[in-house]
Amino acid sequence: MSRVYIAYTGGTIGMKKRGGSYAPAEGYLSERLAAMPEFAGDATPSYTLHEYSPLLDSSNMRPQNWQAIAEDIAANYDDYDGFVVIHGTDTMAYTASALSFMLENLSKPVLLTGSQIPLAEVRSDARENLITSLLIAANYPIPEVCLYLNGSLLRGNRSTKVSSSGFEAFASPNFPPLAEVGVDIDVKERLLLAKPGGGLEVCKLKEVQVAALRLFPGITAPSLENFLLEPIQGLILETYGAGNAPSNDAALLSVLARAVERGVVIVNCTQCLQGSVDMGDYATGNALRDVGVVSGYDITPEAALTKLIYLFSLNLEPNVIRQKMRENLRGELTPTV
Ligand code: ASP
């Protein structure tokens, strides 16, 4: 009989309305689950639910919370067949991406799920999200961090939140879903990462100074310079289209060049939901490549940011980090050149 460990970190799924707005409520989710016979039936895998304290709206999460989740999974790794992380949807794509890098040699499924409407409400999407996540975690040996919501099983580090109100809250614009979930659950084996050799290891995250900046028409050299002030170590630059930025502003480019020389790792990610960066396509992209900005190809900004934190935590030199940002480490990007 398969067993699943549930790490319950917070999110709408277990929230209660207080004074007109939703906030997590201690003990409430397990109370509701206990009152639902389908969670105790023979068809549902047996599970242990560990409620975190305090429960968090995921907008309040930080890298320390990713660390706590990763270590919790590692501490229970040998006793369970799969793991479900109940999490708010707001920063779920960041946590899923971070865990994918931090959990080295992961060979069991880790599924993040949550809901748009609390479990306790009549039209809640929580019941299906949770039951299907439990079934997948218990029965399919997927060696990856995934995200499950509303019939979509996505690779965690390819996912992004695309709707604040729809049940189809996440998309994986540059990689197909890992399963078709309908009457049957059809996991696409050929899309999964290879099962690693060796035991699970958890990366210890360090205090790292990284940031993301979305380019906009009219951005000035002084404001970019402020953004890149010490102690910044890495920047995800969200550029236009296929990785383009103004090539007619020498001052702006020189701010980037000087930061790169100082050892700041600057990664080019597109603002487009779908498609890849190619700095060879346009003169406006060449300009970035020439000052030492590296391509993130088709990585999501969420995965790029968490990958930078992970790589800096390994104490690597900036040039090694630049190289690794261009490599596919956990299925997070498709290098094109
Ligand atoms: N604000 C909530 C959270 O991210 C939203 C949700 O769970 O859907 O925790």
Side-chain angles (χ1 to χ4, degrees), residues 11-12 57-59 87-94 97 114-117 147 149 154-156 158-173 273 300-302:
T12 295
D57 183 305
S58 75
S59 302
H87 195 287
T89 60
D90 286 349
T91 65
M92 191 182 278
Y94 288 91
S97 299
S115 70
Q116 294 279 57
I117 302 183
L147 186 153
L149 239 89
L154 310 177
R155 174 167 294 157
R158 290 286 195 161
S159 64
T160 188
K161 187 169 180 182
V162 290
S163 172
S164 61
S165 54
F167 290 147
E168 187 84 54
F170 288 86
S172 169
L273 197 54
T300 60
E302 294 91 329

PDB file of all heavy atoms in Angstrom, residues 11-12 57-59 87-94 97 114-117 147 149 154-156 158-173 273 300-302:
ATOM      1  N   GLY A  11      -2.042  28.646   2.031  1.00  0.00           N
ATOM      2  CA  GLY A  11      -2.762  28.908   0.765  1.00  0.00           C
ATOM      3  C   GLY A  11      -4.263  28.940   0.963  1.00  0.00           C
ATOM      4  O   GLY A  11      -4.790  28.521   2.007  1.00  0.00           O
ATOM      5  N   THR A  12      -4.926  29.384  -0.085  1.00  0.00           N
ATOM      6  CA  THR A  12      -6.390  29.546  -0.070  1.00  0.00           C
ATOM      7  C   THR A  12      -7.128  28.277   0.340  1.00  0.00           C
ATOM      8  O   THR A  12      -8.158  28.328   1.021  1.00  0.00           O
ATOM      9  CB  THR A  12      -6.856  29.951  -1.496  1.00  0.00           C
ATOM     10  OG1 THR A  12      -6.312  31.227  -1.777  1.00  0.00           O
ATOM     11  CG2 THR A  12      -8.368  30.020  -1.605  1.00  0.00           C
ATOM     12  N   ASP A  57      -0.020  32.533   3.647  1.00  0.00           N
ATOM     13  CA  ASP A  57      -0.422  32.928   2.301  1.00  0.00           C
ATOM     14  C   ASP A  57       0.893  32.903   1.531  1.00  0.00           C
ATOM     15  O   ASP A  57       1.908  33.422   2.015  1.00  0.00           O
ATOM     16  CB  ASP A  57      -1.003  34.354   2.344  1.00  0.00           C
ATOM     17  CG  ASP A  57      -1.509  34.809   0.987  1.00  0.00           C
ATOM     18  OD1 ASP A  57      -0.729  34.771   0.017  1.00  0.00           O
ATOM     19  OD2 ASP A  57      -2.675  35.216   0.899  1.00  0.00           O
ATOM     20  N   SER A  58       0.919  32.311   0.351  1.00  0.00           N
ATOM     21  CA  SER A  58       2.217  32.104  -0.304  1.00  0.00           C
ATOM     22  C   SER A  58       2.895  33.407  -0.714  1.00  0.00           C
ATOM     23  O   SER A  58       4.083  33.417  -1.016  1.00  0.00           O
ATOM     24  CB  SER A  58       2.092  31.149  -1.483  1.00  0.00           C
ATOM     25  OG  SER A  58       1.491  31.780  -2.588  1.00  0.00           O
ATOM     26  N   SER A  59       2.169  34.514  -0.683  1.00  0.00           N
ATOM     27  CA  SER A  59       2.812  35.806  -0.949  1.00  0.00           C
ATOM     28  C   SER A  59       3.782  36.176   0.172  1.00  0.00           C
ATOM     29  O   SER A  59       4.634  37.045  -0.003  1.00  0.00           O
ATOM     30  CB  SER A  59       1.765  36.906  -1.082  1.00  0.00           C
ATOM     31  OG  SER A  59       0.878  36.565  -2.109  1.00  0.00           O
ATOM     32  N   HIS A  87      -0.006  24.334  -1.050  1.00  0.00           N
ATOM     33  CA  HIS A  87       0.684  25.634  -1.141  1.00  0.00           C
ATOM     34  C   HIS A  87      -0.266  26.636  -1.783  1.00  0.00           C
ATOM     35  O   HIS A  87      -1.075  26.274  -2.638  1.00  0.00           O
ATOM     36  CB  HIS A  87       1.903  25.395  -2.054  1.00  0.00           C
ATOM     37  CG  HIS A  87       2.956  26.439  -2.046  1.00  0.00           C
ATOM     38  ND1 HIS A  87       2.799  27.665  -2.646  1.00  0.00           N
ATOM     39  CD2 HIS A  87       4.213  26.427  -1.530  1.00  0.00           C
ATOM     40  CE1 HIS A  87       3.912  28.364  -2.500  1.00  0.00           C
ATOM     41  NE2 HIS A  87       4.796  27.639  -1.827  1.00  0.00           N
ATOM     42  N   GLY A  88      -0.134  27.894  -1.432  1.00  0.00           N
ATOM     43  CA  GLY A  88      -0.904  28.924  -2.123  1.00  0.00           C
ATOM     44  C   GLY A  88      -0.470  29.009  -3.578  1.00  0.00           C
ATOM     45  O   GLY A  88       0.677  28.694  -3.918  1.00  0.00           O
ATOM     46  N   THR A  89      -1.373  29.447  -4.432  1.00  0.00           N
ATOM     47  CA  THR A  89      -1.035  29.460  -5.860  1.00  0.00           C
ATOM     48  C   THR A  89      -0.181  30.670  -6.264  1.00  0.00           C
ATOM     49  O   THR A  89       0.520  30.612  -7.265  1.00  0.00           O
ATOM     50  CB  THR A  89      -2.317  29.439  -6.730  1.00  0.00           C
ATOM     51  OG1 THR A  89      -3.101  30.587  -6.426  1.00  0.00           O
ATOM     52  CG2 THR A  89      -3.126  28.178  -6.506  1.00  0.00           C
ATOM     53  N   ASP A  90      -0.219  31.737  -5.444  1.00  0.00           N
ATOM     54  CA  ASP A  90       0.467  32.971  -5.871  1.00  0.00           C
ATOM     55  C   ASP A  90       1.951  32.765  -6.177  1.00  0.00           C
ATOM     56  O   ASP A  90       2.457  33.258  -7.170  1.00  0.00           O
ATOM     57  CB  ASP A  90       0.309  34.072  -4.811  1.00  0.00           C
ATOM     58  CG  ASP A  90      -1.100  34.645  -4.805  1.00  0.00           C
ATOM     59  OD1 ASP A  90      -1.871  34.340  -5.737  1.00  0.00           O
ATOM     60  OD2 ASP A  90      -1.434  35.394  -3.862  1.00  0.00           O
ATOM     61  N   THR A  91       2.661  32.084  -5.305  1.00  0.00           N
ATOM     62  CA  THR A  91       4.101  31.888  -5.542  1.00  0.00           C
ATOM     63  C   THR A  91       4.434  30.401  -5.727  1.00  0.00           C
ATOM     64  O   THR A  91       5.586  29.997  -5.568  1.00  0.00           O
ATOM     65  CB  THR A  91       4.969  32.500  -4.418  1.00  0.00           C
ATOM     66  OG1 THR A  91       4.717  31.796  -3.189  1.00  0.00           O
ATOM     67  CG2 THR A  91       4.687  33.973  -4.223  1.00  0.00           C
ATOM     68  N   MET A  92       3.413  29.623  -6.088  1.00  0.00           N
ATOM     69  CA  MET A  92       3.623  28.169  -6.246  1.00  0.00           C
ATOM     70  C   MET A  92       4.677  27.857  -7.317  1.00  0.00           C
ATOM     71  O   MET A  92       5.492  26.945  -7.156  1.00  0.00           O
ATOM     72  CB  MET A  92       2.288  27.508  -6.616  1.00  0.00           C
ATOM     73  CG  MET A  92       2.324  26.009  -6.552  1.00  0.00           C
ATOM     74  SD  MET A  92       0.741  25.301  -7.056  1.00  0.00           S
ATOM     75  CE  MET A  92      -0.228  25.420  -5.572  1.00  0.00           C
ATOM     76  N   ALA A  93       4.687  28.621  -8.412  1.00  0.00           N
ATOM     77  CA  ALA A  93       5.646  28.347  -9.487  1.00  0.00           C
ATOM     78  C   ALA A  93       7.083  28.606  -9.012  1.00  0.00           C
ATOM     79  O   ALA A  93       8.020  27.929  -9.442  1.00  0.00           O
ATOM     80  CB  ALA A  93       5.322  29.187 -10.714  1.00  0.00           C
ATOM     81  N   TYR A  94       7.264  29.593  -8.114  1.00  0.00           N
ATOM     82  CA  TYR A  94       8.611  29.855  -7.569  1.00  0.00           C
ATOM     83  C   TYR A  94       9.048  28.698  -6.676  1.00  0.00           C
ATOM     84  O   TYR A  94      10.182  28.212  -6.773  1.00  0.00           O
ATOM     85  CB  TYR A  94       8.619  31.145  -6.734  1.00  0.00           C
ATOM     86  CG  TYR A  94       8.500  32.409  -7.543  1.00  0.00           C
ATOM     87  CD1 TYR A  94       7.262  32.965  -7.824  1.00  0.00           C
ATOM     88  CD2 TYR A  94       9.626  33.068  -8.025  1.00  0.00           C
ATOM     89  CE1 TYR A  94       7.145  34.135  -8.571  1.00  0.00           C
ATOM     90  CE2 TYR A  94       9.528  34.238  -8.766  1.00  0.00           C
ATOM     91  CZ  TYR A  94       8.278  34.767  -9.037  1.00  0.00           C
ATOM     92  OH  TYR A  94       8.180  35.915  -9.774  1.00  0.00           O
ATOM     93  N   SER A  97       9.806  25.605  -8.687  1.00  0.00           N
ATOM     94  CA  SER A  97      11.089  25.752  -9.386  1.00  0.00           C
ATOM     95  C   SER A  97      12.241  25.595  -8.407  1.00  0.00           C
ATOM     96  O   SER A  97      13.202  24.856  -8.661  1.00  0.00           O
ATOM     97  CB  SER A  97      11.185  27.128 -10.053  1.00  0.00           C
ATOM     98  OG  SER A  97      10.170  27.276 -11.009  1.00  0.00           O
ATOM     99  N   GLY A 114      -2.944  23.221  -4.742  1.00  0.00           N
ATOM    100  CA  GLY A 114      -3.660  24.184  -3.900  1.00  0.00           C
ATOM    101  C   GLY A 114      -5.018  24.373  -4.538  1.00  0.00           C
ATOM    102  O   GLY A 114      -5.498  23.487  -5.246  1.00  0.00           O
ATOM    103  N   SER A 115      -5.622  25.512  -4.318  1.00  0.00           N
ATOM    104  CA  SER A 115      -6.912  25.748  -4.971  1.00  0.00           C
ATOM    105  C   SER A 115      -7.194  27.235  -5.063  1.00  0.00           C
ATOM    106  O   SER A 115      -6.566  28.039  -4.376  1.00  0.00           O
ATOM    107  CB  SER A 115      -8.031  25.041  -4.203  1.00  0.00           C
ATOM    108  OG  SER A 115      -8.246  25.678  -2.973  1.00  0.00           O
ATOM    109  N   GLN A 116      -8.146  27.558  -5.893  1.00  0.00           N
ATOM    110  CA  GLN A 116      -8.545  28.956  -6.065  1.00  0.00           C
ATOM    111  C   GLN A 116      -9.680  29.316  -5.108  1.00  0.00           C
ATOM    112  O   GLN A 116      -9.889  30.481  -4.794  1.00  0.00           O
ATOM    113  CB  GLN A 116      -9.001  29.208  -7.513  1.00  0.00           C
ATOM    114  CG  GLN A 116      -7.898  29.077  -8.557  1.00  0.00           C
ATOM    115  CD  GLN A 116      -7.036  30.326  -8.643  1.00  0.00           C
ATOM    116  OE1 GLN A 116      -6.452  30.745  -7.644  1.00  0.00           O
ATOM    117  NE2 GLN A 116      -6.930  30.915  -9.818  1.00  0.00           N
ATOM    118  N   ILE A 117     -10.434  28.279  -4.670  1.00  0.00           N
ATOM    119  CA  ILE A 117     -11.534  28.496  -3.712  1.00  0.00           C
ATOM    120  C   ILE A 117     -11.274  27.559  -2.532  1.00  0.00           C
ATOM    121  O   ILE A 117     -10.923  26.391  -2.736  1.00  0.00           O
ATOM    122  CB  ILE A 117     -12.915  28.173  -4.343  1.00  0.00           C
ATOM    123  CG1 ILE A 117     -13.164  29.033  -5.596  1.00  0.00           C
ATOM    124  CG2 ILE A 117     -14.041  28.373  -3.327  1.00  0.00           C
ATOM    125  CD1 ILE A 117     -14.540  28.829  -6.244  1.00  0.00           C
ATOM    126  N   LEU A 147       3.565  20.270 -10.633  1.00  0.00           N
ATOM    127  CA  LEU A 147       2.498  21.112 -10.097  1.00  0.00           C
ATOM    128  C   LEU A 147       1.199  20.548 -10.667  1.00  0.00           C
ATOM    129  O   LEU A 147       1.120  20.284 -11.864  1.00  0.00           O
ATOM    130  CB  LEU A 147       2.789  22.526 -10.584  1.00  0.00           C
ATOM    131  CG  LEU A 147       1.967  23.689 -10.126  1.00  0.00           C
ATOM    132  CD1 LEU A 147       2.818  24.945 -10.198  1.00  0.00           C
ATOM    133  CD2 LEU A 147       0.741  23.865 -10.963  1.00  0.00           C
ATOM    134  N   LEU A 149      -2.972  21.134 -10.908  1.00  0.00           N
ATOM    135  CA  LEU A 149      -4.186  21.926 -10.671  1.00  0.00           C
ATOM    136  C   LEU A 149      -5.125  21.716 -11.851  1.00  0.00           C
ATOM    137  O   LEU A 149      -4.674  21.753 -13.011  1.00  0.00           O
ATOM    138  CB  LEU A 149      -3.869  23.432 -10.585  1.00  0.00           C
ATOM    139  CG  LEU A 149      -4.260  24.117  -9.268  1.00  0.00           C
ATOM    140  CD1 LEU A 149      -3.114  24.022  -8.286  1.00  0.00           C
ATOM    141  CD2 LEU A 149      -4.598  25.583  -9.481  1.00  0.00           C
ATOM    142  N   LEU A 154       1.953  19.560 -14.530  1.00  0.00           N
ATOM    143  CA  LEU A 154       2.997  20.319 -15.231  1.00  0.00           C
ATOM    144  C   LEU A 154       4.343  20.107 -14.552  1.00  0.00           C
ATOM    145  O   LEU A 154       4.406  19.883 -13.332  1.00  0.00           O
ATOM    146  CB  LEU A 154       2.664  21.820 -15.202  1.00  0.00           C
ATOM    147  CG  LEU A 154       1.251  22.212 -15.647  1.00  0.00           C
ATOM    148  CD1 LEU A 154       1.054  23.726 -15.485  1.00  0.00           C
ATOM    149  CD2 LEU A 154       1.001  21.796 -17.093  1.00  0.00           C
ATOM    150  N   ARG A 155       5.416  20.202 -15.340  1.00  0.00           N
ATOM    151  CA  ARG A 155       6.744  20.234 -14.710  1.00  0.00           C
ATOM    152  C   ARG A 155       6.812  21.529 -13.908  1.00  0.00           C
ATOM    153  O   ARG A 155       6.536  22.624 -14.432  1.00  0.00           O
ATOM    154  CB  ARG A 155       7.836  20.193 -15.788  1.00  0.00           C
ATOM    155  CG  ARG A 155       9.225  20.380 -15.190  1.00  0.00           C
ATOM    156  CD  ARG A 155      10.322  20.043 -16.164  1.00  0.00           C
ATOM    157  NE  ARG A 155      10.283  18.614 -16.458  1.00  0.00           N
ATOM    158  CZ  ARG A 155      10.788  18.055 -17.550  1.00  0.00           C
ATOM    159  NH1 ARG A 155      11.400  18.793 -18.444  1.00  0.00           N
ATOM    160  NH2 ARG A 155      10.701  16.745 -17.744  1.00  0.00           N
ATOM    161  N   GLY A 156       7.204  21.402 -12.629  1.00  0.00           N
ATOM    162  CA  GLY A 156       7.175  22.564 -11.731  1.00  0.00           C
ATOM    163  C   GLY A 156       7.954  23.751 -12.254  1.00  0.00           C
ATOM    164  O   GLY A 156       7.476  24.886 -12.225  1.00  0.00           O
ATOM    165  N   ARG A 158       8.630  24.611 -15.167  1.00  0.00           N
ATOM    166  CA  ARG A 158       8.158  25.142 -16.454  1.00  0.00           C
ATOM    167  C   ARG A 158       6.829  25.876 -16.278  1.00  0.00           C
ATOM    168  O   ARG A 158       6.255  26.372 -17.245  1.00  0.00           O
ATOM    169  CB  ARG A 158       7.952  23.997 -17.449  1.00  0.00           C
ATOM    170  CG  ARG A 158       9.227  23.340 -17.925  1.00  0.00           C
ATOM    171  CD  ARG A 158       9.941  24.243 -18.898  1.00  0.00           C
ATOM    172  NE  ARG A 158      10.973  23.529 -19.629  1.00  0.00           N
ATOM    173  CZ  ARG A 158      11.493  23.967 -20.770  1.00  0.00           C
ATOM    174  NH1 ARG A 158      11.107  25.109 -21.280  1.00  0.00           N
ATOM    175  NH2 ARG A 158      12.432  23.294 -21.373  1.00  0.00           N
ATOM    176  N   SER A 159       6.321  25.893 -15.050  1.00  0.00           N
ATOM    177  CA  SER A 159       4.975  26.417 -14.845  1.00  0.00           C
ATOM    178  C   SER A 159       4.997  27.900 -14.459  1.00  0.00           C
ATOM    179  O   SER A 159       5.987  28.403 -13.910  1.00  0.00           O
ATOM    180  CB  SER A 159       4.272  25.611 -13.750  1.00  0.00           C
ATOM    181  OG  SER A 159       4.959  25.788 -12.543  1.00  0.00           O
ATOM    182  N   THR A 160       3.884  28.550 -14.753  1.00  0.00           N
ATOM    183  CA  THR A 160       3.744  29.959 -14.382  1.00  0.00           C
ATOM    184  C   THR A 160       2.268  30.238 -14.120  1.00  0.00           C
ATOM    185  O   THR A 160       1.397  29.638 -14.771  1.00  0.00           O
ATOM    186  CB  THR A 160       4.335  30.868 -15.495  1.00  0.00           C
ATOM    187  OG1 THR A 160       4.367  32.206 -15.035  1.00  0.00           O
ATOM    188  CG2 THR A 160       3.556  30.813 -16.800  1.00  0.00           C
ATOM    189  N   LYS A 161       1.988  31.101 -13.159  1.00  0.00           N
ATOM    190  CA  LYS A 161       0.581  31.411 -12.856  1.00  0.00           C
ATOM    191  C   LYS A 161       0.054  32.365 -13.920  1.00  0.00           C
ATOM    192  O   LYS A 161       0.628  33.426 -14.134  1.00  0.00           O
ATOM    193  CB  LYS A 161       0.438  32.013 -11.448  1.00  0.00           C
ATOM    194  CG  LYS A 161      -1.023  32.187 -11.041  1.00  0.00           C
ATOM    195  CD  LYS A 161      -1.219  32.539  -9.571  1.00  0.00           C
ATOM    196  CE  LYS A 161      -2.707  32.683  -9.258  1.00  0.00           C
ATOM    197  NZ  LYS A 161      -2.990  33.077  -7.878  1.00  0.00           N
ATOM    198  N   VAL A 162      -1.029  31.973 -14.588  1.00  0.00           N
ATOM    199  CA  VAL A 162      -1.556  32.810 -15.670  1.00  0.00           C
ATOM    200  C   VAL A 162      -2.950  33.360 -15.397  1.00  0.00           C
ATOM    201  O   VAL A 162      -3.458  34.163 -16.158  1.00  0.00           O
ATOM    202  CB  VAL A 162      -1.570  32.051 -17.022  1.00  0.00           C
ATOM    203  CG1 VAL A 162      -0.161  31.822 -17.536  1.00  0.00           C
ATOM    204  CG2 VAL A 162      -2.327  30.737 -16.932  1.00  0.00           C
ATOM    205  N   SER A 163      -3.593  32.900 -14.313  1.00  0.00           N
ATOM    206  CA  SER A 163      -4.925  33.432 -14.029  1.00  0.00           C
ATOM    207  C   SER A 163      -5.101  33.594 -12.528  1.00  0.00           C
ATOM    208  O   SER A 163      -4.810  32.683 -11.753  1.00  0.00           O
ATOM    209  CB  SER A 163      -6.000  32.489 -14.576  1.00  0.00           C
ATOM    210  OG  SER A 163      -7.265  32.943 -14.133  1.00  0.00           O
ATOM    211  N   SER A 164      -5.607  34.771 -12.142  1.00  0.00           N
ATOM    212  CA  SER A 164      -5.818  34.997 -10.709  1.00  0.00           C
ATOM    213  C   SER A 164      -7.196  34.504 -10.279  1.00  0.00           C
ATOM    214  O   SER A 164      -7.484  34.422  -9.092  1.00  0.00           O
ATOM    215  CB  SER A 164      -5.676  36.489 -10.379  1.00  0.00           C
ATOM    216  OG  SER A 164      -6.651  37.210 -11.081  1.00  0.00           O
ATOM    217  N   SER A 165      -8.040  34.178 -11.249  1.00  0.00           N
ATOM    218  CA  SER A 165      -9.393  33.794 -10.868  1.00  0.00           C
ATOM    219  C   SER A 165      -9.895  32.502 -11.511  1.00  0.00           C
ATOM    220  O   SER A 165     -10.817  31.885 -10.999  1.00  0.00           O
ATOM    221  CB  SER A 165     -10.360  34.930 -11.214  1.00  0.00           C
ATOM    222  OG  SER A 165     -10.206  35.258 -12.579  1.00  0.00           O
ATOM    223  N   GLY A 166      -9.280  32.071 -12.609  1.00  0.00           N
ATOM    224  CA  GLY A 166      -9.753  30.849 -13.270  1.00  0.00           C
ATOM    225  C   GLY A 166      -9.246  29.604 -12.559  1.00  0.00           C
ATOM    226  O   GLY A 166      -8.202  29.634 -11.897  1.00  0.00           O
ATOM    227  N   PHE A 167      -9.958  28.497 -12.695  1.00  0.00           N
ATOM    228  CA  PHE A 167      -9.477  27.234 -12.116  1.00  0.00           C
ATOM    229  C   PHE A 167      -8.232  26.754 -12.851  1.00  0.00           C
ATOM    230  O   PHE A 167      -7.389  26.083 -12.285  1.00  0.00           O
ATOM    231  CB  PHE A 167     -10.577  26.164 -12.168  1.00  0.00           C
ATOM    232  CG  PHE A 167     -11.716  26.434 -11.217  1.00  0.00           C
ATOM    233  CD1 PHE A 167     -13.014  26.065 -11.533  1.00  0.00           C
ATOM    234  CD2 PHE A 167     -11.485  27.053  -9.989  1.00  0.00           C
ATOM    235  CE1 PHE A 167     -14.058  26.298 -10.660  1.00  0.00           C
ATOM    236  CE2 PHE A 167     -12.531  27.308  -9.105  1.00  0.00           C
ATOM    237  CZ  PHE A 167     -13.819  26.926  -9.438  1.00  0.00           C
ATOM    238  N   GLU A 168      -8.133  27.082 -14.145  1.00  0.00           N
ATOM    239  CA  GLU A 168      -6.939  26.745 -14.934  1.00  0.00           C
ATOM    240  C   GLU A 168      -5.918  27.856 -14.659  1.00  0.00           C
ATOM    241  O   GLU A 168      -5.678  28.727 -15.494  1.00  0.00           O
ATOM    242  CB  GLU A 168      -7.341  26.728 -16.417  1.00  0.00           C
ATOM    243  CG  GLU A 168      -6.282  26.237 -17.371  1.00  0.00           C
ATOM    244  CD  GLU A 168      -6.242  24.730 -17.505  1.00  0.00           C
ATOM    245  OE1 GLU A 168      -7.293  24.158 -17.797  1.00  0.00           O
ATOM    246  OE2 GLU A 168      -5.157  24.152 -17.307  1.00  0.00           O
ATOM    247  N   ALA A 169      -5.332  27.822 -13.462  1.00  0.00           N
ATOM    248  CA  ALA A 169      -4.518  28.960 -13.025  1.00  0.00           C
ATOM    249  C   ALA A 169      -3.089  28.933 -13.567  1.00  0.00           C
ATOM    250  O   ALA A 169      -2.420  29.954 -13.581  1.00  0.00           O
ATOM    251  CB  ALA A 169      -4.481  28.995 -11.500  1.00  0.00           C
ATOM    252  N   PHE A 170      -2.626  27.752 -13.989  1.00  0.00           N
ATOM    253  CA  PHE A 170      -1.224  27.633 -14.409  1.00  0.00           C
ATOM    254  C   PHE A 170      -1.101  27.172 -15.849  1.00  0.00           C
ATOM    255  O   PHE A 170      -1.943  26.431 -16.357  1.00  0.00           O
ATOM    256  CB  PHE A 170      -0.472  26.650 -13.499  1.00  0.00           C
ATOM    257  CG  PHE A 170      -0.240  27.226 -12.133  1.00  0.00           C
ATOM    258  CD1 PHE A 170      -1.208  27.117 -11.142  1.00  0.00           C
ATOM    259  CD2 PHE A 170       0.918  27.936 -11.852  1.00  0.00           C
ATOM    260  CE1 PHE A 170      -1.011  27.685  -9.895  1.00  0.00           C
ATOM    261  CE2 PHE A 170       1.125  28.515 -10.612  1.00  0.00           C
ATOM    262  CZ  PHE A 170       0.156  28.388  -9.628  1.00  0.00           C
ATOM    263  N   ALA A 171      -0.008  27.603 -16.466  1.00  0.00           N
ATOM    264  CA  ALA A 171       0.329  27.115 -17.804  1.00  0.00           C
ATOM    265  C   ALA A 171       1.790  26.715 -17.808  1.00  0.00           C
ATOM    266  O   ALA A 171       2.565  27.104 -16.914  1.00  0.00           O
ATOM    267  CB  ALA A 171       0.096  28.217 -18.830  1.00  0.00           C
ATOM    268  N   SER A 172       2.153  25.910 -18.797  1.00  0.00           N
ATOM    269  CA  SER A 172       3.551  25.521 -19.014  1.00  0.00           C
ATOM    270  C   SER A 172       3.810  25.806 -20.491  1.00  0.00           C
ATOM    271  O   SER A 172       3.732  24.918 -21.330  1.00  0.00           O
ATOM    272  CB  SER A 172       3.694  24.032 -18.686  1.00  0.00           C
ATOM    273  OG  SER A 172       4.945  23.541 -19.104  1.00  0.00           O
ATOM    274  N   PRO A 173       4.058  27.094 -20.800  1.00  0.00           N
ATOM    275  CA  PRO A 173       4.013  27.518 -22.203  1.00  0.00           C
ATOM    276  C   PRO A 173       5.088  26.899 -23.081  1.00  0.00           C
ATOM    277  O   PRO A 173       4.906  26.800 -24.286  1.00  0.00           O
ATOM    278  CB  PRO A 173       4.194  29.037 -22.121  1.00  0.00           C
ATOM    279  CG  PRO A 173       3.989  29.392 -20.686  1.00  0.00           C
ATOM    280  CD  PRO A 173       4.330  28.195 -19.882  1.00  0.00           C
ATOM    281  N   LEU A 273       5.257  35.076 -22.975  1.00  0.00           N
ATOM    282  CA  LEU A 273       4.878  33.872 -22.250  1.00  0.00           C
ATOM    283  C   LEU A 273       5.461  32.647 -22.938  1.00  0.00           C
ATOM    284  O   LEU A 273       5.832  31.673 -22.303  1.00  0.00           O
ATOM    285  CB  LEU A 273       3.344  33.806 -22.218  1.00  0.00           C
ATOM    286  CG  LEU A 273       2.699  32.895 -21.203  1.00  0.00           C
ATOM    287  CD1 LEU A 273       3.216  33.206 -19.809  1.00  0.00           C
ATOM    288  CD2 LEU A 273       1.190  33.064 -21.263  1.00  0.00           C
ATOM    289  N   THR A 300      11.369  30.079 -17.636  1.00  0.00           N
ATOM    290  CA  THR A 300      10.438  31.067 -17.064  1.00  0.00           C
ATOM    291  C   THR A 300      11.239  31.996 -16.132  1.00  0.00           C
ATOM    292  O   THR A 300      12.258  31.581 -15.563  1.00  0.00           O
ATOM    293  CB  THR A 300       9.342  30.395 -16.204  1.00  0.00           C
ATOM    294  OG1 THR A 300       9.992  29.699 -15.136  1.00  0.00           O
ATOM    295  CG2 THR A 300       8.473  29.439 -17.004  1.00  0.00           C
ATOM    296  N   PRO A 301      10.767  33.221 -15.926  1.00  0.00           N
ATOM    297  CA  PRO A 301      11.459  34.100 -14.974  1.00  0.00           C
ATOM    298  C   PRO A 301      11.502  33.490 -13.567  1.00  0.00           C
ATOM    299  O   PRO A 301      12.480  33.660 -12.829  1.00  0.00           O
ATOM    300  CB  PRO A 301      10.627  35.382 -14.989  1.00  0.00           C
ATOM    301  CG  PRO A 301       9.923  35.362 -16.314  1.00  0.00           C
ATOM    302  CD  PRO A 301       9.676  33.914 -16.645  1.00  0.00           C
ATOM    303  N   GLU A 302      10.466  32.724 -13.205  1.00  0.00           N
ATOM    304  CA  GLU A 302      10.436  32.098 -11.871  1.00  0.00           C
ATOM    305  C   GLU A 302      11.568  31.075 -11.741  1.00  0.00           C
ATOM    306  O   GLU A 302      12.289  31.031 -10.736  1.00  0.00           O
ATOM    307  CB  GLU A 302       9.102  31.372 -11.629  1.00  0.00           C
ATOM    308  CG  GLU A 302       7.874  32.264 -11.539  1.00  0.00           C
ATOM    309  CD  GLU A 302       7.183  32.471 -12.890  1.00  0.00           C
ATOM    310  OE1 GLU A 302       7.868  32.460 -13.942  1.00  0.00           O
ATOM    311  OE2 GLU A 302       5.957  32.657 -12.891  1.00  0.00           O
TER     312      GLU A 302
END
